[in-house]
Protein backbone atom coordinates (compact mmCIF):
# COMPACT_ATOMS: atom_id res chain seq x y z
CA UNK A 1 0.00 0.00 0.00
CA UNK A 2 2.84 2.36 0.83
CA UNK A 3 4.51 1.56 -2.49
CA UNK A 4 1.28 2.39 -4.33
CA UNK A 5 0.97 5.68 -2.45
CA UNK A 6 4.55 6.61 -3.34
CA UNK A 7 3.96 5.73 -7.01
CA UNK A 8 0.73 7.73 -7.11
CA UNK A 9 2.17 10.82 -5.39
CA UNK A 10 5.33 10.71 -7.51
CA UNK A 11 3.27 10.40 -10.69
CA UNK A 12 1.04 13.26 -9.61
CA UNK A 13 4.05 15.44 -8.78
CA UNK A 14 5.81 14.70 -12.06
CA UNK A 15 2.64 15.39 -14.05
CA UNK A 16 2.04 18.67 -12.25
CA UNK A 17 5.69 19.64 -12.64
CA UNK A 18 5.48 18.96 -16.38
CA UNK A 19 2.38 21.12 -16.71
CA UNK A 20 3.83 23.89 -14.55
CA UNK A 21 7.19 23.80 -16.32
CA UNK A 22 5.61 24.08 -19.75
CA UNK A 23 3.08 26.65 -18.52
CA UNK A 24 0.26 24.37 -19.59
CA UNK A 25 1.61 23.60 -23.08
CA UNK A 26 1.69 19.88 -22.20
CA UNK A 27 -2.08 19.92 -21.57
CA UNK A 28 -2.95 17.98 -24.78
CA UNK A 29 -0.98 15.00 -23.43
CA UNK A 30 -3.48 14.70 -20.60
CA UNK A 31 -6.59 15.34 -22.66
CA UNK A 32 -7.08 11.81 -23.96
CA UNK A 33 -5.93 9.83 -20.94
CA UNK A 34 -9.39 8.33 -20.36
CA UNK A 35 -9.38 6.55 -23.72
CA UNK A 36 -5.95 5.04 -23.00
CA UNK A 37 -6.73 4.11 -19.42
CA UNK A 38 -9.99 2.37 -20.39
CA UNK A 39 -8.20 0.19 -22.92
CA UNK A 40 -5.53 -0.66 -20.36
CA UNK A 41 -8.23 -1.45 -17.80
CA UNK A 42 -10.04 -3.79 -20.19
CA UNK A 43 -6.84 -5.59 -21.12
CA UNK A 44 -5.85 -5.80 -17.47
CA UNK A 45 -9.23 -7.28 -16.54
CA UNK A 46 -8.94 -9.99 -19.17
CA UNK A 47 -5.36 -10.70 -18.17
CA UNK A 48 -6.31 -10.90 -14.51
CA UNK A 49 -9.06 -13.42 -15.18
CA UNK A 50 -6.65 -15.59 -17.15
CA UNK A 51 -3.99 -15.22 -14.45
CA UNK A 52 -6.43 -16.14 -11.69
CA UNK A 53 -7.41 -19.30 -13.59
CA UNK A 54 -3.74 -20.07 -14.19
CA UNK A 55 -3.07 -19.93 -10.45
CA UNK A 56 -6.06 -22.23 -9.86
CA UNK A 57 -4.49 -24.69 -12.29
CA UNK A 58 -1.19 -24.55 -10.44
CA UNK A 59 -2.97 -25.22 -7.15
CA UNK A 60 -4.51 -28.34 -8.68
CA UNK A 61 -1.06 -29.46 -9.87
CA UNK A 62 0.40 -29.44 -6.36
CA UNK A 63 0.67 -33.16 -5.58
CA UNK A 64 -1.49 -34.44 -2.76
CA UNK A 65 1.35 -36.81 -1.80
CA UNK A 66 3.30 -33.75 -0.71
CA UNK A 67 0.64 -33.10 1.90
CA UNK A 68 1.40 -36.45 3.52
CA UNK A 69 5.19 -36.29 3.08
CA UNK A 70 5.91 -32.71 4.05
CA UNK A 71 2.90 -30.78 5.28
CA UNK A 72 4.92 -27.61 5.96
CA UNK A 73 6.14 -27.43 2.37
CA UNK A 74 2.66 -28.19 1.04
CA UNK A 75 1.19 -25.49 3.27
CA UNK A 76 3.86 -23.00 2.15
CA UNK A 77 3.09 -23.61 -1.55
CA UNK A 78 -0.67 -23.39 -1.10
CA UNK A 79 -0.38 -20.24 1.03
CA UNK A 80 1.90 -18.59 -1.55
CA UNK A 81 -0.57 -19.35 -4.32
CA UNK A 82 -3.51 -18.15 -2.23
CA UNK A 83 -1.68 -14.89 -1.51
CA UNK A 84 -1.05 -14.50 -5.22
CA UNK A 85 -4.76 -14.97 -5.92
CA UNK A 86 -5.60 -12.32 -3.31
CA UNK A 87 -3.14 -9.95 -4.94
CA UNK A 88 -4.80 -10.47 -8.32
CA UNK A 89 -8.20 -9.61 -6.85
CA UNK A 90 -6.90 -6.55 -4.99
CA UNK A 91 -5.11 -5.34 -8.13
CA UNK A 92 -8.34 -5.60 -10.12
CA UNK A 93 -10.18 -3.58 -7.48
CA UNK A 94 -7.39 -1.02 -7.46
CA UNK A 95 -7.51 -0.59 -11.24
CA UNK A 96 -11.30 -0.15 -11.10
CA UNK A 97 -10.90 2.55 -8.44
CA UNK A 98 -8.23 4.30 -10.51
CA UNK A 99 -10.45 4.16 -13.61
CA UNK A 100 -13.36 5.70 -11.75
CA UNK A 101 -11.09 8.33 -10.18
CA UNK A 102 -9.68 9.30 -13.59
CA UNK A 103 -13.18 9.56 -15.03
CA UNK A 104 -14.51 11.73 -12.23
CA UNK A 105 -11.38 13.89 -12.19
CA UNK A 106 -11.84 14.56 -15.90
CA UNK A 107 -15.52 15.36 -15.47
CA UNK A 108 -14.81 17.59 -12.46
CA UNK A 109 -12.13 19.49 -14.35
CA UNK A 110 -14.54 20.29 -17.16
CA UNK A 111 -17.27 21.69 -14.90
CA UNK A 112 -18.07 25.32 -15.50
CA UNK A 113 -17.64 26.54 -11.91
CA UNK A 114 -14.05 25.22 -11.88
CA UNK A 115 -13.31 27.33 -14.94
CA UNK A 116 -14.44 30.48 -13.08
CA UNK A 117 -12.23 29.96 -10.01
CA UNK A 118 -9.20 32.13 -9.46
CA UNK A 119 -5.97 30.31 -10.18
CA UNK A 120 -7.88 28.28 -12.77
CA UNK A 121 -4.75 27.01 -14.47
CA UNK A 122 -3.50 25.48 -11.21
CA UNK A 123 -6.84 23.78 -10.61
CA UNK A 124 -6.89 22.47 -14.18
CA UNK A 125 -3.31 21.28 -13.92
CA UNK A 126 -4.10 19.56 -10.62
CA UNK A 127 -7.02 17.69 -12.17
CA UNK A 128 -4.97 16.74 -15.21
CA UNK A 129 -2.12 15.63 -12.96
CA UNK A 130 -4.57 13.44 -11.05
CA UNK A 131 -5.56 11.78 -14.32
CA UNK A 132 -1.88 11.36 -15.24
CA UNK A 133 -1.19 9.80 -11.85
CA UNK A 134 -4.05 7.35 -12.40
CA UNK A 135 -2.64 6.34 -15.78
CA UNK A 136 0.90 5.83 -14.50
CA UNK A 137 -0.37 3.95 -11.44
CA UNK A 138 -2.40 1.59 -13.65
CA UNK A 139 0.72 0.95 -15.73
CA UNK A 140 2.67 0.12 -12.56
CA UNK A 141 -0.10 -2.23 -11.36
CA UNK A 142 -0.08 -3.99 -14.74
CA UNK A 143 3.70 -4.45 -14.47
CA UNK A 144 3.39 -5.81 -10.92
CA UNK A 145 0.70 -8.23 -12.11
CA UNK A 146 2.97 -9.40 -14.93
CA UNK A 147 5.78 -9.94 -12.42
CA UNK A 148 3.36 -12.07 -10.40
CA UNK A 149 2.68 -14.11 -13.52
CA UNK A 150 6.41 -14.76 -13.91
CA UNK A 151 6.55 -15.88 -10.28
CA UNK A 152 3.59 -18.20 -10.77
CA UNK A 153 5.17 -19.62 -13.90
CA UNK A 154 8.39 -20.36 -11.99
CA UNK A 155 6.39 -21.99 -9.22
CA UNK A 156 4.54 -24.15 -11.75
CA UNK A 157 7.88 -25.26 -13.19
CA UNK A 158 9.08 -26.22 -9.69
CA UNK A 159 5.87 -28.11 -8.97
CA UNK A 160 6.12 -29.96 -12.29
CA UNK A 161 9.78 -30.81 -11.76
CA UNK A 162 9.34 -32.23 -8.28
CA UNK A 163 5.65 -33.11 -8.52
CA UNK A 164 5.54 -36.85 -8.26
Amino acid sequence: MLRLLVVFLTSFSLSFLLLWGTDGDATPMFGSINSVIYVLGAMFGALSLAFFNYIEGIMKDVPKKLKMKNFELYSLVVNALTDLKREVISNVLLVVVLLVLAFFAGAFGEMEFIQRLSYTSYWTWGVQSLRGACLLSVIVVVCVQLAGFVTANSLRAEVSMYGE
Side-chain angles (χ1 to χ4, degrees):
M1 187 63 173
L2 182 62
R3 182 172 54 170
L4 172 68
L5 188 61
V6 168
V7 166
F8 190 82
L9 291 177
T10 303
S11 301
F12 179 84
S13 300
L14 290 174
S15 297
F16 194 85
L17 189 63
L18 175 68
L19 288 165
W20 177 76
T22 61
D23 199 33
D25 291 340
T27 299
M29 278 181 36
F30 297 92
S32 60
I33 281 182
N34 279 353
S35 59
V36 173
I37 203 168
Y38 293 148
V39 171
L40 275 174
M43 287 176 26
F44 179 76
L47 247 164
S48 296
L49 181 63
F51 185 39
F52 191 86
N53 288 331
Y54 186 73
I55 295 170
E56 281 290 320
I58 295 173
M59 286 184 86
K60 291 177 184 172
D61 288 348
V62 176
K64 302 302 178 208
K65 289 180 183 178
L66 184 61
K67 191 175 190 178
M68 300 302 170
K69 285 183 183 176
N70 191 347
F71 183 75
E72 288 179 18
L73 183 61
Y74 179 81
S75 171
L76 183 70
V77 169
V78 170
N79 287 338
L81 289 169
T82 303
D83 289 343
L84 203 52
K85 282 175 29 179
R86 271 192 221 111
E87 184 177 337
V88 169
I89 293 169
S90 65
N91 285 346
V92 168
L93 291 173
L94 175 63
V95 167
V96 168
V97 167
L98 289 171
L99 286 171
V100 170
L101 182 63
F103 171 77
F104 281 115
F108 181 76
E110 294 173 6
M111 290 182 176
E112 190 175 322
F113 81 91
I114 292 293
Q115 305 301 326
R116 290 189 306 240
L117 293 174
S118 58
Y119 303 107
T120 302
S121 60
Y122 294 116
W123 279 98
T124 305
W125 295 346
V127 168
Q128 290 172 344
S129 298
L130 186 63
R131 294 170 74 194
C134 288
L135 174 65
L136 292 175
S137 297
V138 166
I139 291 171
V140 168
V141 170
V142 168
C143 291
V144 167
Q145 189 93 321
L146 290 174
F149 184 74
V150 170
T151 301
N153 201 20
S154 299
L155 190 54
R156 178 170 240 166
E158 289 289 324
V159 167
S160 296
M161 188 176 289
Y162 300 109
E164 295 294 326

